């Protein structure tokens, strides 16, 4: 009989065991700016993303810029997690081919998903544009399940305004808002209609040129953050506060030392985590790598926030406990 279990086979088996083990190992620390492996060991592809909590599960949606994608399509990926640290890939929930004939280089960016209780639909908003960013509309796609598939429904200019970067905000009372950049005026916050399929009411226009707009409601104050308009290059992101979404909004101030350009990142969302011991607000930003988009990183970091002040500390690895906050 041939001997099959040689020392080399043994070493190979040990190797496979450890590689698999590393891939499935539970992570407890978030490393801002580093590769962030999903449950399969692949770097998470959820750029310009947004997160919703449905039941006890968080869903993270974002632009999928994996290598080797079919360039005729745009892709949105979805990940699920119970702890905001360990993410399970739920696949591509959008694989869309130019739904409105905007051309081969059409744009689908910054997808944000809301769950609409009355219709039981998951409603995705995204920035829909042509290659020159001249169309400036939001697109909507819907799904019955959080992990797709989302199918295209329509696009429009929100309340008649231009809309490029979009952000998502759900207030503590459950009311859903869209934040959108309306050049050359600034950025607007608008309330979604009852079925989330359109926008019902403009809350305010903040006359500041800002992309990557995000909001959080913390201890009775609204904090709005965003970046300047420098494309993929980072810039000093800023914040302002207001007692109500209608304003008046304070002057904008830096969220980090301006020379660091937000530590090389751009805002996409603020996540509020309320637990038994307190509430943390996490800054969620993208570190874009325009030439190797698949390698773009995430800068998540708990903010120092309160009494009208907001500050993004120098990034360093941190642990996040969604139970205690
Ligand atoms: C950024 C924007 C991104 C993308 C990029 C293209 O300013 O935030 O979502 O549109 O420009 O250059």
């Amino acid at each position: 009989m041939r001997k099959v279990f040689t020392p080399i086979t043994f070493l190979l088996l040990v190797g496979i065991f450890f590689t698999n083990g590393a891939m499935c190992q539970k992570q407890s620390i978030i490393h801002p700016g580093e590769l962030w492996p999903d449950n399969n060991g692949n770097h998470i592809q959820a750029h310009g993303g947004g997160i919703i909590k449905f039941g006890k599960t968080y869903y993270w949606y974002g632009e999928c810029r994996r290598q080797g994608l079919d360039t005729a399509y745009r892709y949105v990926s979805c990940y699920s997690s119970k702890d905001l640290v360990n993410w399970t890939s739920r696949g591509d929930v959008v694989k869309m081919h130019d739904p409105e004939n905007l051309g081969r280089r059409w744009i689908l960016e910054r997808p944000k998903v809301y769950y609409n209780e009355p219709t039981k639909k998951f409603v995705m908003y995204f920035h829909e544009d042509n290659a020159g960013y001249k169309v400036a509309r939001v697109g909507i796609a819907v799904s019955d399940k959080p992990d797709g598939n989302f199918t295209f429904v329509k696009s429009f200019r929100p309340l008649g305004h231009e809309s490029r970067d979009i952000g998502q905000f759900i207030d503590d009372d459950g009311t859903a808002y869209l934040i959108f950049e309306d050049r050359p005026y600034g950025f607007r916050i608008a309330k979604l209609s009852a079925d989330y399929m359109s926008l019902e009411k403009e809350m305010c226009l903040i006359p500041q040129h800002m992309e990557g707009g995000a909001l959080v409601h913390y201890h009775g104050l609204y904090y709005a953050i965003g970046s300047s308009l420098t494309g993929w290059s980072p810039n000093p992101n800023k914040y302002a506060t207001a007692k109500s979404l209608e304003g008046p909004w304070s002057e904008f101030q830096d969220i980090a030392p301006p020379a660091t350009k937000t530590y090389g990142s751009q805002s996409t969302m603020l996540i509020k985590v309320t637990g038994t011991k307190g509430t943390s607000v996490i800054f969620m930003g993208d570190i874009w790598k325009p030439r190797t988009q698949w390698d773009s990183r995430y800068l998540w970091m708990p903010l120092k926030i309160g009494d009208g002040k907001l500050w993004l500390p120098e990034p360093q690895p941190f642990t996040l406990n969604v139970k205690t906050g």
Side-chain angles (χ1 to χ4, degrees):
M1 213 177 95
R2 271 202 12 237
K3 199 171 139 198
V4 279
F5 205 73
T6 62
I8 291 187
T9 342
F10 176 74
L11 282 178
L12 274 174
L13 284 174
V14 169
I16 289 166
F17 178 79
F18 277 107
T19 326
N20 272 334
M23 287 201 308
C24 303
Q25 219 169 57
K26 230 171 164 299
Q27 308 171 69
S28 57
I29 298 173
I30 292 180
H31 299 270
E34 289 185 21
L35 287 170
W36 194 336
D38 67 7
N39 60 309
N40 299 318
N42 299 319
H43 179 47
I44 291 174
Q45 294 291 320
H47 312 288
I51 288 181
I52 54 162
K53 196 173 181 195
F54 182 63
K56 289 195 171 128
T57 307
Y58 293 95
Y59 291 90
W60 183 1
Y61 301 89
E63 299 160 25
C64 174
R65 296 184 178 270
R66 203 170 53 235
Q67 273 179 290
L69 292 176
D70 183 337
T71 54
Y73 293 85
R74 300 294 168 269
Y75 298 77
V76 175
S77 29
C78 171
Y79 297 83
S80 61
S81 173
K82 298 267 190 232
D83 60 11
L84 290 169
V85 186
N86 295 276
W87 293 94
T88 301
S89 169
R90 308 294 288 254
D92 300 331
V93 295
V94 166
K95 180 184 177 189
M96 205 183 286
H97 182 266
D98 189 6
E100 298 189 297
N101 299 318
L102 296 176
R104 209 174 47 82
R105 290 171 54 222
W106 74 285
I107 304 285
L108 186 166
E109 286 179 345
R110 296 193 175 265
K112 304 284 179 291
V113 173
Y114 302 82
Y115 175 65
N116 187 263
E117 187 64 54
T119 62
K120 309 263 181 267
K121 299 266 185 217
F122 291 84
V123 181
M124 178 185 293
Y125 277 67
F126 57 86
H127 173 194
E128 182 183 313
D129 226 319
N130 64 359
Y133 288 91
K134 293 287 186 292
V135 171
R137 294 164 79 87
V138 288
I140 291 188
V142 296
S143 166
D144 293 329
K145 292 185 283 128
D147 53 1
N149 284 331
F150 284 83
T151 49
F152 181 78
V153 179
K154 59 179 176 181
S155 81
F156 55 89
R157 281 195 166 175
L159 302 167
H161 302 295
E162 291 190 17
S163 172
R164 290 185 176 81
D165 274 14
I166 59 164
Q168 165 181 32
F169 174 59
I170 299 170
D171 209 341
D172 300 336
D173 64 3
T175 313
Y177 299 90
L178 183 77
I179 304 158
F180 59 98
E181 195 250 324
D182 175 15
R183 223 163 295 169
Y185 301 104
F187 74 98
R188 299 185 194 261
I189 302 169
K191 187 175 163 214
L192 271 61
S193 63
D195 63 1
Y196 292 179
M197 296 302 285
S198 62
L199 292 164
E200 183 179 286
K201 184 182 167 205
E202 178 166 322
M203 309 307 292
C204 66
L205 161 68
I206 306 185
Q208 178 92 4
H209 300 297
M210 294 230 296
E211 295 190 317
L215 276 169
V216 69
H217 192 177
Y218 183 80
H219 289 183
L221 261 189
Y222 291 93
Y223 294 74
I225 64 161
S227 78
S228 311
L229 279 56
T230 56
W232 301 120
S233 312
N235 57 62
N237 291 192
K238 294 185 186 296
Y239 80 98
T241 60
K243 289 208 178 83
S244 99
L245 286 179
E246 284 95 340
W249 288 87
S250 69
E251 288 293 304
F252 277 81
Q253 297 182 52
D254 289 314
I255 72 166
T260 70
K261 299 188 176 166
T262 323
Y263 306 104
S265 73
Q266 181 188 23
S267 55
T268 185
M269 195 170 203
L270 296 171
I271 317 168
K272 187 159 83 167
V273 183
T274 301
T276 50
K277 292 203 180 134
T279 298
S280 316
V281 179
I282 316 287
F283 171 88
M284 197 175 145
D286 294 286
I287 300 176
W288 297 108
K289 301 205 178 174
R291 283 191 197 87
T292 49
Q293 281 283 15
W294 54 89
D295 189 36
S296 296
R297 307 291 172 90
Y298 310 99
L299 192 160
W300 286 25
M301 197 56 204
L303 290 168
K304 283 190 183 152
I305 187 169
D307 301 323
K309 301 254 178 299
L310 180 154
W311 190 249
L312 177 64
E314 194 175 342
Q316 52 172 293
F318 65 97
T319 52
L320 185 56
N321 188 331
V322 291
K323 292 207 175 69
T324 58

